[in-house]
Amino acid sequence: MSIRNALHLKNNCHPTYMKKNLQSGKHRVYISILFLLTITGSLPPARAQDQQKIDSIINVLAKTKDDTTKIILLSCLSFNYSTLNTNKGIKYGEEALELSKKMVWKKGIALASGNLGINYKAKSDYPKALEFELKALSINQEIEDQLGIATNMGNIGLLYANRGDTSKALEYYRKAMKIDEKIDNKNGLAINLVNASSIYDQKNDYPHALDYLMKALNIYKQTDNRKGVAAALSNIGTLYASQNKYSEALAYDFDALRMEEANGNKTGIALNEGNIGEVYYYISRTPDGRIRPDSLVSFSKTANLNKGIFFLKKSIESCKKIDYLRGMIKFSKSLSKAYLSMGDSRRAMEEYVAYTETKDSVFSTESNLRLRQIEMAHDKELKDKELSIEKLKNENFVLSIRNKREERNYLLAGIALLLLVIYFIIKERKKTEKLLLNILPQKIAVRLKKKEHPIADHFENVSIIFIDMAGFTKFAENRDPRETVSTLNEVFTHFDHLAEKHGLEKIKTIGDCYMAVAGLPDERRDHAAATVAMALEIKETMKGYLAKDGTPIHFRIGLDCGAVVAGVIGKKKFIYDLWGDAVNTASRMESTGEEGQIHCTDNFKKEVEAFPYEHAAAITFTNRGGIEVKSKGVMQTWFISLA
């Protein structure tokens, strides 16, 4: 579980910057008003305070001529609207940018661009947000504005974090913090401490993450930054949840929610409602006795699960009202899991479809891009052929008027060309069908061709295998991309062959991880035995595997079995996927396993013993003992090998 509230983008309408740029004579008339808005904190709390700031700036703006003061006011409005109404925030940001360009004022261009980046990030339009932030950074570096540079670097780091590039994110956070410390920018330093802590949380480096958060919390308290305090509390709650300390997590989450309600921060409210919902869901999945009931936690797992669903639904509704797509993506997926735990497969599927459709509107993958390119190329080819046929028909019509004797020849030529076009269309269709069968199981492809969509099936007992190439990320660094892809292709092609040999269905590859399943779409009693057979053959055949340059690559294998929901979701780019607790646990077995080992749950061991592998006498289960598994608690696990 990663930190869920690392979302503060830094204010490009800084009090420090305002003071520096409003000291000239023509700006002095507005100093008292703007310092009331940005420094004194004497306005009413929460949303009323934010709205009063905006109203006061708008009143001053109406009396301002087209000069640098107006650009500063427009930029402040753009920033303040980023958490209330992004459309208005973009409108004011574009006005500030246009006026800055007209006046050829570089600082104004940087200021307006940075605030436009903040608003587009709030709308989850990350490419456009990054474009504006990089533009602002370039100008601030040119004019040597250290405060502006630190601000843009922190915002760019946050954008990379939201796209999953944690290395890039941490790089920008550290650069920003170094500048913040140098210029004594406490607010910026605190924000980057919070956001950097989320990266350490993802790496399971909890001491570093908590240290950063506590430092940020102290800074926010010292500077009386209520929004910052609320965000730090929320992130501390999330950090405790990552360590399965759910009672502590709820205490911090509820404190953060109450403060965000007082602040009137709709995004913060939605996030903390979802945070609380997720924690209750995790509690409901925790074995008896691991969570001590208190004023927030019930004895009943069902009661905790119902609380989780209540807060998750409330959060999703809040996200919809403010068009916060990233929150909808995260908490729709969690709500789907909660419904699945309750046994409500229909609602679980509905929420998963909602999660996928929202995610598809924000993110894309290389495979989806490739499929889209194929579709576009195919459509263009068909359109070109249709135009050729139409052109030929027109030419034949003109020629038939001029010379009837040639009519038959042209007609035959047209028919021949038409037949040739039809042949190519049929050939392309077969290519498309072949591509579809490469992506989906044959039975699922047939159902899709019959217009059955979405497809959702429940399977009571299947086995899942995850195989990860340990250390591959380091291997891929500073290598020719073709060499990296060639190695992946060689390994995964071998896995495809073994999956087909043992009757498993390949689901997908995720980076350097390979996932397959036995027992669907055709059910089979020996699904666990088939999965063991594939795992053992991978272990033997890939032992001592070397890349072409001689670099050794090792593999971790994780196994589990249980109930899953499988289906085809999405509107345009189909993928056959499955989810359920067994999928998550198999992934955990892989990530907590050891190089060169097959790691499985106690549940999987019992399934193999109930329906044994044909060489059962040669299989050895080595007890690994109880291990701490993220979001699962302590589990009894085993290593599998041939005797």
Side-chain angles (χ1 to χ4, degrees):
M1 183 189 304
S2 61
I3 286 184
R4 296 160 291 179
N5 200 23
L7 296 172
H8 322 6
L9 282 160
K10 290 190 282 186
N11 190 344
N12 281 321
C13 191
H14 302 284
T16 305
Y17 175 77
M18 298 288 288
K19 182 176 181 180
K20 182 173 69 174
N21 287 276
L22 291 173
Q23 291 299 326
S24 63
K26 65 177 181 178
H27 296 149
R28 197 167 293 140
V29 65
Y30 305 117
I31 290 177
S32 60
I33 295 176
L34 290 172
F35 269 79
L36 174 65
L37 302 179
T38 57
I39 297 176
T40 62
S42 60
L43 297 177
R47 187 178 178 84
Q49 182 179 7
D50 293 334
Q51 192 58 52
Q52 191 170 346
K53 286 181 182 180
I54 289 171
D55 292 342
S56 299
I57 295 173
I58 290 174
N59 289 335
V60 175
L61 184 65
K63 305 171 186 178
T64 307
K65 297 179 181 180
D66 286 353
D67 57 13
T68 55
T69 301
K70 186 171 183 177
I71 293 171
I72 294 171
L73 294 171
L74 288 169
S75 294
C76 286
L77 286 173
S78 177
F79 174 79
N80 282 301
Y81 270 120
S82 66
T83 57
L84 300 175
N85 187 326
T86 53
N87 291 330
K88 286 188 177 181
I90 290 171
K91 171 182 171 293
Y92 284 115
E94 288 174 343
E95 288 183 26
L97 183 59
E98 184 179 354
L99 183 55
S100 297
K101 289 179 178 178
K102 183 179 177 181
M103 296 183 62
V104 197
W105 188 33
K106 290 185 178 180
K107 182 58 206 178
I109 295 173
L111 189 63
S113 298
N115 283 315
L116 282 168
I118 290 173
N119 279 278
Y120 278 112
K121 184 268 170 191
K123 291 174 71 70
S124 298
D125 189 343
Y126 300 119
K128 210 163 186 64
L130 184 59
E131 177 187 339
F132 277 111
E133 290 293 348
L134 288 172
K135 180 179 180 180
L137 175 61
S138 177
I139 295 173
N140 280 322
Q141 287 173 331
E142 181 183 345
I143 63 178
E144 298 182 352
D145 186 327
Q146 297 301 309
L147 182 60
I149 293 170
T151 297
N152 298 137
M153 283 186 169
N155 291 341
I156 292 169
L158 186 55
L159 288 169
Y160 277 119
N162 285 332
R163 296 298 294 170
D165 192 340
T166 55
S167 296
K168 275 274 190 183
L170 201 55
E171 175 189 341
Y172 274 96
Y173 291 150
R174 285 170 175 164
K175 289 179 180 179
M177 285 190 285
K178 188 174 181 179
I179 297 173
D180 287 330
E181 289 177 335
K182 182 179 178 181
I183 63 176
D184 196 28
N185 178 23
K186 288 186 171 59
N187 183 63
L189 177 60
I191 290 170
N192 284 304
L193 283 167
V194 170
N195 291 342
S197 71
S198 70
I199 306 300
Y200 285 114
D201 177 47
Q202 292 176 47
K203 296 175 180 292
N204 296 331
D205 187 348
Y206 301 128
H208 265 107
L210 186 59
D211 178 56
Y212 274 34
L213 285 173
M214 288 302 184
K215 287 179 179 177
L217 182 61
N218 288 334
I219 292 173
Y220 283 136
K221 287 180 177 179
Q222 290 170 11
T223 57
D224 196 27
N225 187 333
R226 292 176 57 82
K227 290 183 179 179
V229 170
L233 289 171
S234 177
N235 287 323
I236 293 171
T238 305
L239 193 61
Y240 279 121
S242 296
Q243 302 172 72
N244 301 330
K245 297 178 180 180
Y246 298 128
S247 295
E248 294 90 336
L250 282 175
Y252 277 98
D253 281 342
F254 273 109
D255 280 348
L257 177 59
R258 284 188 288 269
M259 185 163 283
E260 292 290 30
E261 287 173 341
N263 292 339
N265 182 1
K266 291 184 178 181
T267 302
I269 292 169
L271 282 167
N272 282 289
E273 288 171 344
N275 295 350
I276 292 167
E278 284 189 329
V279 172
Y280 275 118
Y281 164 68
Y282 293 134
I283 291 173
S284 72
R285 302 291 296 166
T286 301
D288 291 334
R290 288 193 53 78
I291 300 295
R292 185 176 60 194
D294 55 24
S295 60
L296 297 176
V297 181
S298 170
F299 281 97
S300 168
K301 287 189 175 183
T302 302
N304 289 321
L305 182 57
N306 285 331
K307 282 186 179 180
I309 290 173
F310 169 78
F311 278 103
L312 286 169
K313 288 171 67 177
K314 192 174 180 182
S315 171
I316 292 168
E317 287 302 315
S318 298
C319 290
K320 287 179 180 177
K321 289 178 182 178
I322 59 175
D323 196 28
Y324 181 46
L325 298 182
R326 190 169 182 84
M328 291 166 62
I329 291 171
K330 177 173 179 55
F331 298 125
S332 292
K333 185 175 183 181
S334 296
L335 184 56
S336 173
K337 293 178 181 179
Y339 277 131
L340 195 62
S341 292
M342 185 176 278
D344 192 337
S345 298
R346 181 183 63 82
R347 288 188 179 179
M349 186 63 181
E350 288 174 356
E351 291 301 326
Y352 194 79
V353 169
Y355 150 74
T356 306
E357 290 179 348
T358 308
K359 184 179 179 182
D360 285 346
S361 70
V362 177
F363 301 105
S364 63
T365 63
E366 289 184 6
S367 60
N368 286 341
L369 179 59
R370 177 60 183 151
L371 286 173
R372 181 56 184 158
Q373 289 172 341
I374 293 171
E375 291 171 358
M376 291 175 66
H378 182 61
D379 290 343
K380 184 179 184 301
E381 188 175 352
L382 290 178
K383 187 175 182 180
D384 290 343
K385 289 172 182 176
E386 290 171 358
L387 290 173
S388 297
I389 295 171
E390 189 64 30
K391 182 179 179 181
L392 181 61
K393 287 180 179 179
N394 292 334
E395 290 175 352
N396 283 340
F397 178 74
V398 174
L399 288 173
S400 68
I401 296 175
R402 293 178 180 177
N403 194 342
K404 289 186 178 181
R405 287 184 303 173
E406 297 181 3
E407 180 178 349
R408 182 176 180 180
N409 292 335
Y410 281 109
L411 180 61
L412 291 174
I415 292 173
L417 181 58
L418 181 61
L419 290 174
L420 185 62
V421 170
I422 292 173
Y423 166 76
F424 279 114
I425 291 174
I426 293 173
K427 187 177 180 181
E428 289 300 314
R429 180 175 292 177
K430 287 182 178 179
K431 286 183 181 179
T432 303
E433 290 181 355
K434 185 177 180 181
L435 176 63
L436 189 64
L437 290 175
N438 280 336
I439 298 172
L440 303 170
Q442 184 174 3
K443 286 187 175 182
I444 302 301
V446 170
R447 289 167 67 182
L448 278 176
K449 289 172 68 176
K450 291 179 180 179
K451 309 298 183 183
E452 181 183 348
H453 188 261
I455 293 175
D457 299 313
H458 177 77
F459 295 90
E460 189 60 35
N461 204 4
V462 302
S463 291
I464 301 99
I465 180 171
F466 278 89
I467 311 111
D468 183 71
M469 301 171 68
F472 191 78
T473 300
K474 185 176 181 181
F475 167 82
E477 288 180 357
N478 303 319
R479 270 184 169 79
D480 188 321
R482 288 172 294 184
E483 181 184 350
T484 301
V485 173
S486 175
T487 302
L488 284 172
N489 182 63
E490 178 180 308
V491 172
F492 288 166
T493 299
H494 178 60
F495 291 171
D496 287 342
H497 169 71
L498 294 181
E500 185 175 359
K501 174 182 176 180
H502 295 287
L504 275 75
E505 187 68 45
K506 175 184 177 181
I507 298 300
K508 58 186 173 183
T509 59
I510 312 165
D512 58 353
C513 186
Y514 185 97
M515 174 186 176
V517 61
L520 65 78
D522 295 316
E523 296 184 8
R524 54 187 294 183
R525 299 182 69 186
D526 63 343
H527 56 84
T531 307
V532 169
M534 178 177 174
L536 288 170
E537 190 161 353
I538 288 173
K539 181 179 178 180
E540 291 303 312
T541 58
M542 302 308 287
K543 184 185 297 182
Y545 176 78
L546 301 176
K548 290 182 180 179
D549 65 351
T551 302
I553 298 178
H554 305 285
F555 298 83
R556 292 192 304 268
I557 303 175
L559 310 173
D560 193 25
C561 60
V564 298
V565 172
V568 177
I569 42 79
K571 292 183 178 180
K572 294 182 180 179
K573 307 175 182 87
F574 298 130
I575 179 173
Y576 184 68
D577 207 349
L578 60 146
W579 70 97
D581 189 60
V583 177
N584 297 332
T585 306
S587 177
R588 294 284 189 267
M589 291 299 100
E590 175 271 309
S591 62
T592 57
E594 296 179 0
E595 293 180 2
Q597 294 287 356
I598 303 171
H599 191 206
C600 75
T601 62
D602 192 56
N603 183 42
F604 185 87
K605 174 179 178 289
K606 292 175 181 176
E607 186 71 22
V608 173
E609 291 171 344
F611 301 99
Y613 175 52
E614 58 180 337
H615 301 301
I619 295 178
T620 300
F621 286 96
T622 303
N623 190 344
R624 195 186 184 191
I627 65 168
E628 183 75 22
V629 178
K630 190 174 183 179
S631 300
K632 299 288 294 182
V634 176
M635 296 185 67
Q636 176 70 49
T637 64
W638 305 81
F639 286 136
I640 303 176
S641 60
L642 285 173

